[in-house]
Amino acid sequence: MLNTSISDSSSEPSSASLPPLEHLSFQEAIDEHQLEQYDPYNPYSYPESYAGHNGQSSEDDGQPPSANPYDLHPDQMMGYDGTAMDMYYPTPMTFTRQPLNYHLYTLPRPEALAHKYFISDDIREELQKRSETVHTTAPASLGLPDELQGYHSLVPLEPVGGERRKFGNWYSMVYRATSSNDGSTFVLRRIENFRLMQQTAFSSIEAWSRLRHPNVISVHEAFTTRAFNDSSLVVVYDDHPNAQTLYEAHIKPKAPQFQNGRLQAQSNRIAERTVWSYVIQIANAIKAVHDAGLAVRLIDPTKILVTGKNRIRIGSCGVVDVLTHDVQTDVSFLQQDDLTMFGALIFMLCCNNLAAMNNMQKAIDHLGRNYSADLKSVALFLISKAGPHKNIGQLFDMIGSRLLTELDEAQNAVDRLEGELMTELENARLVRLLCKFGFINERPEHNHETRWSETGDRYIIKLFRDYVFHQVDEMGRPVVNLTHVLACLNKLDAGTDEKIMLVSRDEQSCLVVSYREVKACIDSAFRCVSLCG
């Protein structure tokens, strides 16, 4: 737990407490040099060995550290190439959005008030990252349409350059866009060069739009457009910012990292408990789809998203139905194919290989060595020959008591989130109280009284403001103590009888008042301001 007083200079390393460089090892000398170069006012100056709020440790699952924009060349920071600029016709400068510095405004929680007034830093940072992602914009050089059937501000979610991604036999691209109706963000999957032959092809999209399930990304609508200078099919889905595909999260090779002074490869092996959680969630989604008379038709690691901690959702639903509308196939056969693709997905995840099914015996042996016999039986059942016995209901019979374990985990997650929500419940009271302070303190004039905020009850409010926010220590340094602020504001809001001493800035006046009396002064002054307004 970090200190609550962020102005305490004792947190700086003392040179007297550190051994001389000649007695340090090479790595220790580097760490010592980094600490000496650390600037507390530069949010990107953490030493490489620091694994704090915005840093990365050696156990961060191979995630690369955030780029330091202060280390970039000025031309790169401004978003243009200075060498390519014409001296007579300079290109307009474009500013690059820098990442949010969460540690600058997510202060350490007070020691005595931990888990009481603030949600955990991990949840707060994750939600802030999602919010920042939603508000990113695409560069104008991409030439994206300004408006698309009621959606605007398109941002590509896949790499624009390099090898183009395909969806079956069609080239495809995914965008995030904002709805003009309600301002919400949605994901648009575009299928290039698709010519709609019959309007009835959208009937399946209407059926998918009626399906709502926690493990299926909801489908909203589909339409064709020529806004991209071709005939494109666009299907609209719910947006889940910062989601990863199963391939990116578990199968894609990770860059090696230094551990214990050596470069070591990172293991992609998935814990069996996590695999069972995925199996149950996907099986639950498939059952909902089959009960609605539909078929998923695309169960692939690159189309299933991890949207939270072990929370997955099947995506890209309904697209195959539109693309293959001319091919009439019995839905029962398609549902059998869903189970087969589901079994292949289990082998891919357990073997960390998209081509696991190419060598069936090797995949079975690998799964049997590293996972339980129950999981192996489920995978073999799903890839077995189609028949009346092979259905999603039979799969749930095989899963058995593991459903109860998943239910327990889901309920525990709800309890944790409710607990986090409770920590923010009382914050609105303090915000309203601070707003009253803002309306009263330092008001330049009220009812033609230029010194209104300096006289009467308002003077007590001003002294109380100084008592809460403007205290200094014995050396004259500001005391930035969040615990003191929260304790005073809560006592004020409750109107306790505890007495405090308020001293004027020139130390010529001293008042002893209770929180109840200060609260009465604030209510009276705010009532005077609000009635006149």
Side-chain angles (χ1 to χ4, degrees), residues 35-235:
L35 287 175
E36 290 179 354
Q37 298 299 321
Y38 168 62
D39 179 7
Y41 297 99
N42 182 353
Y44 292 93
S45 67
Y46 292 115
E48 295 178 0
S49 58
Y50 176 74
H53 193 78
N54 212 31
Q56 300 288 340
S57 65
S58 60
E59 301 173 353
D60 59 354
D61 296 331
Q63 297 294 330
S66 301
N68 181 356
Y70 293 101
D71 289 340
L72 298 176
H73 188 272
D75 289 350
Q76 296 175 337
M77 292 179 65
M78 300 298 288
Y80 65 90
D81 184 4
T83 61
M85 294 179 62
D86 191 288
M87 61 181 299
Y88 297 106
Y89 300 96
T91 57
M93 296 181 296
T94 58
F95 293 87
T96 303
R97 182 183 178 88
Q98 301 297 343
L100 289 177
N101 304 321
Y102 307 102
H103 61 285
L104 294 184
Y105 55 88
T106 304
L107 297 178
R109 283 177 291 184
E111 191 84 30
L113 301 180
H115 309 294
K116 186 176 181 181
Y117 288 105
F118 308 100
I119 63 175
S120 62
D121 293 336
D122 293 339
I123 295 180
R124 183 187 301 275
E125 183 171 341
E126 177 61 29
L127 295 180
Q128 287 168 340
K129 285 181 178 179
R130 293 182 186 181
S131 177
E132 182 191 14
T133 300
V134 166
H135 292 92
T136 54
T137 57
S141 59
L142 295 181
L144 298 176
D146 295 331
E147 197 275 341
L148 188 67
Q149 296 280 16
Y151 299 93
H152 61 88
S153 304
L154 273 66
V155 179
L157 299 183
E158 297 176 341
V160 177
E163 184 179 358
R164 303 177 66 191
R165 299 193 179 188
K166 302 191 69 174
F167 192 98
N169 296 325
W170 290 269
Y171 287 108
S172 174
M173 191 67 183
V174 180
Y175 304 91
R176 174 182 291 111
T178 303
S179 172
S180 301
N181 295 328
D182 55 7
S184 302
T185 57
F186 295 88
V187 169
L188 279 57
R189 177 172 286 278
R190 171 197 171 202
I191 305 297
E192 302 179 16
N193 298 317
F194 172 79
R195 185 177 298 276
L196 182 67
M197 304 303 297
Q198 301 179 13
Q199 193 67 25
T200 56
F202 287 154
S203 60
S204 60
I205 296 296
E206 296 177 0
W208 277 104
S209 65
R210 293 190 293 268
L211 178 64
R212 291 293 181 267
H213 192 272
N215 296 117
V216 177
I217 298 180
S218 299
V219 182
H220 289 271
E221 61 175 330
F223 53 86
T224 56
T225 180
R226 292 187 174 274
F228 296 94
N229 298 322
D230 69 343
S231 179
S232 297
L233 169 68
V234 177
V235 184

Side-chain angles (χ1 to χ4, degrees), residues 112-371:
L113 301 180
H115 309 294
K116 186 176 181 181
Y117 288 105
F118 308 100
I119 63 175
S120 62
D121 293 336
D122 293 339
I123 295 180
R124 183 187 301 275
E125 183 171 341
E126 177 61 29
L127 295 180
Q128 287 168 340
K129 285 181 178 179
R130 293 182 186 181
S131 177
E132 182 191 14
T133 300
V134 166
H135 292 92
T136 54
T137 57
S141 59
L142 295 181
L144 298 176
D146 295 331
E147 197 275 341
L148 188 67
Q149 296 280 16
Y151 299 93
H152 61 88
S153 304
L154 273 66
V155 179
L157 299 183
E158 297 176 341
V160 177
E163 184 179 358
R164 303 177 66 191
R165 299 193 179 188
K166 302 191 69 174
F167 192 98
N169 296 325
W170 290 269
Y171 287 108
S172 174
M173 191 67 183
V174 180
Y175 304 91
R176 174 182 291 111
T178 303
S179 172
S180 301
N181 295 328
D182 55 7
S184 302
T185 57
F186 295 88
V187 169
L188 279 57
R189 177 172 286 278
R190 171 197 171 202
I191 305 297
E192 302 179 16
N193 298 317
F194 172 79
R195 185 177 298 276
L196 182 67
M197 304 303 297
Q198 301 179 13
Q199 193 67 25
T200 56
F202 287 154
S203 60
S204 60
I205 296 296
E206 296 177 0
W208 277 104
S209 65
R210 293 190 293 268
L211 178 64
R212 291 293 181 267
H213 192 272
N215 296 117
V216 177
I217 298 180
S218 299
V219 182
H220 289 271
E221 61 175 330
F223 53 86
T224 56
T225 180
R226 292 187 174 274
F228 296 94
N229 298 322
D230 69 343
S231 179
S232 297
L233 169 68
V234 177
V235 184
V236 182
Y237 300 92
D238 275 348
D239 182 24
H240 297 277
N242 290 347
Q244 285 185 306
T245 65
L246 279 178
Y247 170 76
E248 294 171 337
H250 298 295
I251 301 179
K252 183 178 180 179
K254 298 178 181 179
Q257 286 190 335
F258 277 100
Q259 292 183 357
N260 300 325
R262 291 186 296 179
L263 192 65
Q264 297 183 0
Q266 300 297 304
S267 174
N268 282 352
R269 185 178 183 274
I270 311 175
E272 181 165 348
R273 180 68 195 90
T274 302
V275 176
W276 275 114
S277 178
Y278 291 167
V279 169
I280 293 172
Q281 292 180 68
I282 296 175
N284 193 18
I286 293 176
K287 185 178 186 303
V289 173
H290 289 186
D291 290 345
L294 301 170
V296 181
R297 307 192 67 175
L298 191 63
I299 302 178
D300 184 85
T302 62
K303 301 299 183 292
I304 298 178
L305 297 185
V306 181
T307 60
K309 181 65 175 179
N310 293 343
R311 177 69 182 277
I312 61 174
R313 304 173 195 261
I314 299 178
S316 301
C317 297
V319 179
V320 179
D321 294 329
V322 178
L323 297 178
T324 61
H325 176 71
D326 296 336
V327 181
Q328 299 297 326
T329 308
D330 189 355
V331 68
S332 61
F333 290 103
L334 298 178
Q335 292 177 351
Q336 290 286 329
D337 289 342
D338 286 349
L339 299 181
T340 303
M341 288 187 289
F342 186 14
L345 174 66
I346 296 177
F347 279 104
M348 294 178 193
L349 291 176
C350 294
C351 300
N352 302 117
N353 188 355
L354 290 178
M357 298 300 292
N358 293 343
N359 192 333
M360 193 65 219
Q361 188 58 47
K362 182 178 180 181
I364 294 175
D365 294 341
H366 180 86
L367 194 152
R369 287 194 307 268
N370 296 280
Y371 297 92

